[in-house]
């Protein structure tokens, strides 16, 4: 448990005044970047604009205070939008709070069980597939606001949504579209003017001023949501029932999965940028606590936000103080400037989410993966399509199941059972000439002896091959040598097959000898009492030793 120590407490030992000033500046800049993103993501998720800020303030503070990364900035991200929208639509805000609490508990347990490093074993095609799918869903969800189509209730189903867009396409509001397009142009080209001041902030200020000064008939946050609250978020406790827990456990796991993967990927990237090393298990615990905290104060799910983390690093942030500053600045904006936020056009928020979707899409990685083996491409496309057309839960479930079956097949491919006869027989070459095998040359008089050599991990994939080979043994065989020099590990399925093979050999009066047994397989066989059944005197380091025993036995008869 000694390693589970927040980075904040470690870095403060060598903290300086100069770094404090850099962290304050970096945190303030990141807060300005996070402001429109947090509001836009909350609205797109079906929640209130304030809930996005609550998440960034409460969740972001906890992530920085307890986290295992020096520079991680936490808050709402686009990854959650699809799952959050589905939960709120079906179960309301109380349902989301319950799901977030469960997700937080799951993440804390993962951290306490030191499972942080296991996240990296999630197949890359699944991550890219659902990330690209979410990006496309975010893009498609913002068409109505960006074009000003005026659709009061946009269908949640992907196909129906685009049908609705097609039917209402001629209702495009030109002024709304122009304000949205202007926002997009400013965000894209502003970095050429200044990289210090966020383009999203400039775009929102210009768009809001244009709409307000010229009294343009463009929908704003205020026209849709009314007066926004400037008060500090209040503690909320939902009514929790066992039935709700059962219904929300799957979405909770998805939230935990997304938060874990995205936060740890962000931490890895930031490590490379600052030459540091994060504590993955402590980061998971912090992420879990942050989601529980955000839930209790009416926020949406949070995780490590890569774009904001990179902005923090580029502006000089090097300790969790920058992340804490980011939350404090957002709190000041919440209690003092929320009336101004009401004037932000919805089409401008849609433009911001278009940029978020583009950055999430990872289209270059997606394109590159299409050149991978067909099985990986199938997983990528399946996860992508299901994320778009069904939902994220189903996409992840099926993607993971497909990956497991693919893993089983590949393990079967790399594991092999080689059959070698140590009976002085000859083998035919392709040209018809006969030659003794290497094994025959070594052991020139061992009739009635069969050798099976297992190559690679002896897992479930190889177990079936092994049983088939054992069943082929005839009654003329007296000894079976099983070479396991190249077996690094053995699993439960293979262990069961091993047990069956011993019974089969016993029924055929075949003596089993094991050679080259390594540490993990030996310990596994020992715990399962297989060593006792085989006999310690039938286990050898080399084939030569096993052969010598056979010769000795035959000489004494």
């Amino acid at each position: 448990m000694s390693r589970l120590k927040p980075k904040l407490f470690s870095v403060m030992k060598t903290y300086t005044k100069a770094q404090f000033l850099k962290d304050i500046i970096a945190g303030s800049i990141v807060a300005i970047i996070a402001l429109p993103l947090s509001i836009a993501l909350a609205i797109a998720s079906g929640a209130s604009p304030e809930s996005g800020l609550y998440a960034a303030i409460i969740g972001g503070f906890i992530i920085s205070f307890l986290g295992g990364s020096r520079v991680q900035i936490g808050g709402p991200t686009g990854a959650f939008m699809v799952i959050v929208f589905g939960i709120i639509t079906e179960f309301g805000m109380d349902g989301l709070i319950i799901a977030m609490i469960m997700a937080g508990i799951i993440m804390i347990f993962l951290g306490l069980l030191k499972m942080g490093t296991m996240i990296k074993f999630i197949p890359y095609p699944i991550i890219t597939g659902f990330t690209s799918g979410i990006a496309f869903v975010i893009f498609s969800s913002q068409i109505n606001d960006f074009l000003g189509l005026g659709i009061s209730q946009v269908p949640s189903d992907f196909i129906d949504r685009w049908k609705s867009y097609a039917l209402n396409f001629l209702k495009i509001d030109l002024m709304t579209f122009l304000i949205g397009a202007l926002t997009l142009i400013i965000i894209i080209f502003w970095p050429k003017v200044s990289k210090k001041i966020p383009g999203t902030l400039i775009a929102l200020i210009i768009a809001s001023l244009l709409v307000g000064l010229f009294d343009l008939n463009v929908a704003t946050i205020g026209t849709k949501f009314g007066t926004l609250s400037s008060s500090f978020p209040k503690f909320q406790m939902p009514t929790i029932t066992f039935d709700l827990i059962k219904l929300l456990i799957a979405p909770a796991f998805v939230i935990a999965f997304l938060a874990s993967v995205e936060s740890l990927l962000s931490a890895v990237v930031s490590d490379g940028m600052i030459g540091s090393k994060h504590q993955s298990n402590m980061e998971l615990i912090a992420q879990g606590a942050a989601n529980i905290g955000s839930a209790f104060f009416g926020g949406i799910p949070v995780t490590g936000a890569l774009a904001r983390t990179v902005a923090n690093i580029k502006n000089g942030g090097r300790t969790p103080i920058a992340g804490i500053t980011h939350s404090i600045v957002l709190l000041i904006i919440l209690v003092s400037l929320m009336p101004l936020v009401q004037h932000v056009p919805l089409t401008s928020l849609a433009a911001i989410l278009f940029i978020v979707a583009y950055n999430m899409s990872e289209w270059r990685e997606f394109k590159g993966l299409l050149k991978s083996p067909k099985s990986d491409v199938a997983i990528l496309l399946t996860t992508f399509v299901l994320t778009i057309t069904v939902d994220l839960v189903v996409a992840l479930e099926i993607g993971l199941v497909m990956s497991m079956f693919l893993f089983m097949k590949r393990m079967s491919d790399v594991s092999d059972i080689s059959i070698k006869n140590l009976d002085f027989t000859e083998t035919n070459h392709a040209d018809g000439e006969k030659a003794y095998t290497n094994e025959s040359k070594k052991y020139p008089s061992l009739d009635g002896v069969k050798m099976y050599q297992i190559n690679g991990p002896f897992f479930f994939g190889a177990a079936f091959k092994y049983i088939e080979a054992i069943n082929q043994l005839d009654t003329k065989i007296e000894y079976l040598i099983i070479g396991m020099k190249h077996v690094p590990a053995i699993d439960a399925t293979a262990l069961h097959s091993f047990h069956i093979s011993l019974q089969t050999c016993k029924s055929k009066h075949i003596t089993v000898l094991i050679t080259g047994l390594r540490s993990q397989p030996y310990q596994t066989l020992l715990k399962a009492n297989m060593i006792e059944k085989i006999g310690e005197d039938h286990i050898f380091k080399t084939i030569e030793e096993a052969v010598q025993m056979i010769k000795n036995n035959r000489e004494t008869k």
Side-chain angles (χ1 to χ4, degrees), residues 497-518:
S497 299
F498 214 90
H499 176 68
I500 293 174
S501 73
L502 292 178
Q503 292 179 328
T504 302
C505 289
K506 185 177 181 180
S507 67
K508 295 182 178 183
H509 305 290
I510 299 172
T511 301
V512 176
L513 309 178
I514 308 293
T515 67
L517 199 58
R518 294 164 72 172

Side-chain angles (χ1 to χ4, degrees), residues 208-285:
S208 301
L209 286 174
L210 286 173
V211 172
L213 291 175
F214 294 99
D215 195 25
L216 301 178
N217 186 25
V218 174
T220 64
I221 293 177
T223 61
K224 183 174 182 177
F225 294 96
T227 303
L228 302 183
S229 173
S230 295
S231 60
F232 187 83
K234 297 178 181 178
F235 184 85
Q236 302 179 35
M237 175 58 76
T239 301
I240 301 176
T241 65
F242 185 67
D243 289 337
L244 267 180
I245 290 174
K246 288 193 296 182
L247 291 171
L248 291 167
I249 189 65
F253 268 102
V254 173
I255 292 173
F257 175 83
L258 291 174
S260 300
V261 170
E262 190 163 4
S263 63
L264 294 182
L265 286 176
S266 175
V268 169
V269 172
S270 64
D271 282 350
M273 295 180 69
I274 64 173
S276 180
K277 187 176 181 180
H278 74 282
Q279 299 174 19
S280 56
N281 295 309
M282 191 66 239
E283 186 66 22
L284 283 181
I285 292 172

Side-chain angles (χ1 to χ4, degrees), residues 18-33:
Q19 186 56 56
F20 175 72
L21 293 174
K22 290 180 181 179
D23 287 339
I24 294 296
I25 293 171
S28 300
I29 292 173
V30 173
I32 295 171
I33 296 172

Side-chain angles (χ1 to χ4, degrees), residues 315-338:
N315 285 283
R318 289 296 182 275
T319 77
I321 295 297
I324 292 172
T325 300
H326 139 270
S327 297
I328 293 173
V329 171
L330 283 175
L331 177 61
I332 293 170
I333 293 173
L334 172 70
V335 299
S336 60
L337 299 177
M338 278 305 276

Side-chain angles (χ1 to χ4, degrees), residues 27 74 134 147 187 191 216 247 250 258 269 321 353 395 450 462 476 493 521:
I134 291 170
L147 299 179
I187 294 172
L216 301 178
L247 291 171
L258 291 174
V269 172
I321 295 297
L353 289 176
K450 182 83 77 174
K476 295 180 182 179
T493 305

Side-chain angles (χ1 to χ4, degrees), residues 37-293:
L37 285 173
S38 300
I39 293 172
L41 289 168
I43 293 173
S45 300
S48 66
E50 298 96 332
S51 63
L53 288 179
Y54 297 162
I57 293 167
I58 304 296
F61 180 88
I62 295 174
I63 288 171
S64 294
F65 187 79
L66 294 178
S69 169
R70 295 175 65 99
V71 292
Q72 184 90 279
I73 300 295
T77 67
F80 297 112
M81 199 200 84
V82 178
I83 189 71
V84 170
F85 184 86
I87 294 172
I88 291 177
T89 300
E90 187 171 355
F91 302 101
M93 199 64 191
D94 276 3
L96 177 63
I97 294 172
I98 295 170
M100 287 172 63
I101 293 171
M102 289 194 291
I105 293 171
I106 292 168
M107 295 175 72
I108 290 173
F109 271 110
L110 288 175
L112 292 174
L113 294 173
K114 307 293 180 70
M115 297 291 286
T117 55
M118 297 299 292
I119 301 297
K120 62 185 177 184
F121 295 114
I122 302 297
Y124 188 60
I126 290 181
I127 294 175
T128 303
F130 78 69
T131 301
S132 300
I134 291 170
F136 197 77
V137 172
I138 291 174
F139 169 78
S140 69
S141 69
Q142 298 305 303
I143 300 295
N144 181 45
D145 286 339
F146 186 76
L147 299 179
L149 299 178
I151 304 172
S152 57
Q153 191 66 39
V154 178
S156 58
D157 180 76
F158 180 79
I159 303 299
D160 291 340
R161 183 186 302 155
W162 281 96
K163 285 181 180 178
S164 178
Y165 291 157
L167 292 173
N168 291 277
F169 187 74
L170 296 179
K171 298 180 182 179
I172 292 177
D173 183 81
L174 182 60
M175 189 54 64
T176 298
F177 169 70
L178 290 175
I179 293 295
L182 176 64
T183 305
L184 263 182
I185 292 170
I186 294 172
I187 294 172
I188 293 170
F189 292 102
W190 181 257
K192 296 182 182 297
V193 179
S194 172
K195 293 185 178 180
K196 290 291 183 181
I197 305 174
T200 51
L201 177 64
I202 299 300
L204 288 186
I205 291 173
I206 293 174
S208 301
L209 286 174
L210 286 173
V211 172
L213 291 175
F214 294 99
D215 195 25
L216 301 178
N217 186 25
V218 174
T220 64
I221 293 177
T223 61
K224 183 174 182 177
F225 294 96
T227 303
L228 302 183
S229 173
S230 295
S231 60
F232 187 83
K234 297 178 181 178
F235 184 85
Q236 302 179 35
M237 175 58 76
T239 301
I240 301 176
T241 65
F242 185 67
D243 289 337
L244 267 180
I245 290 174
K246 288 193 296 182
L247 291 171
L248 291 167
I249 189 65
F253 268 102
V254 173
I255 292 173
F257 175 83
L258 291 174
S260 300
V261 170
E262 190 163 4
S263 63
L264 294 182
L265 286 176
S266 175
V268 169
V269 172
S270 64
D271 282 350
M273 295 180 69
I274 64 173
S276 180
K277 187 176 181 180
H278 74 282
Q279 299 174 19
S280 56
N281 295 309
M282 191 66 239
E283 186 66 22
L284 283 181
I285 292 172
Q287 297 287 340
N291 275 283
I292 293 173

